[in-house]
Amino acid sequence: MDRNEVVLAGRLPEAVQVRSLQSGTRFGTWRLVVRRRQQQGRGIRVDTIPCVAFEPGVVETVTGWSPDDMVEVVGSLRRRWWGKDGAKASGYEVEVRSASRLGHGPPEVCAQHGSASADPVPARS
């Protein structure tokens, strides 16, 4: 059985960008900075993961996020293609179907306060 489900929790390094397609469909894009497990003798390492949301409820939720918010997203890994025929490129992103803000500020602050300031927003059917 195939399964493509991604759950990430991390820090939002910059504001969410909301754009519209020619059809009028709004979508949000952002990056999520996620710390890796610390390995012996190495400093803290992170991955910066691109995310996109097309579901109206999710787009509305993420527009309220601010840089340095700690957030959690659930979605699927998608490969996207762009460019012209002779110069096509591709990359992976998480297509988000639910999202929630875990707290404001860096991870250490969120852990100390144990805040959860928003409920998850599921995708609409």
Side-chain angles (χ1 to χ4, degrees):
M1 179 170 106
D2 295 343
R3 185 173 182 190
N4 182 352
E5 185 172 29
V6 175
V7 178
L8 298 170
R11 183 180 62 83
L12 191 69
E14 58 198 14
V16 173
Q17 301 293 313
V18 177
R19 298 182 221 160
S20 295
L21 299 172
Q22 286 183 334
S23 66
T25 301
R26 293 177 62 222
F27 67 99
T29 61
W30 65 94
R31 295 181 304 126
L32 192 59
V33 177
V34 179
R35 293 184 290 176
R36 292 185 187 178
R37 289 185 188 213
Q38 193 160 353
Q39 295 178 352
Q40 187 75 11
R42 295 187 175 189
I44 295 175
R45 293 185 176 209
V46 300
D47 289 305
T48 303
I49 301 169
C51 298
V52 63
F54 294 98
E55 297 294 332
V58 176
V59 174
E60 186 175 326
T61 295
V62 302
T63 58
W65 291 352
S66 302
D68 289 329
D69 280 352
M70 292 300 298
V71 302
E72 181 177 86
V73 299
V74 177
S76 299
L77 194 60
R78 300 282 189 245
R79 187 172 187 185
R80 301 280 185 221
W81 294 88
W82 62 90
K84 301 204 184 248
D85 290 332
K88 287 219 176 207
S90 70
Y92 286 93
E93 64 190 6
V94 175
E95 187 172 313
V96 176
R97 69 175 174 268
S98 69
S100 60
R101 183 169 44 202
L102 302 174
H104 299 287
E108 295 75 21
V109 172
C110 293
Q112 290 171 359
H113 291 78
S115 62
S117 58
D119 293 326
V121 176
R124 295 180 184 171
S125 304

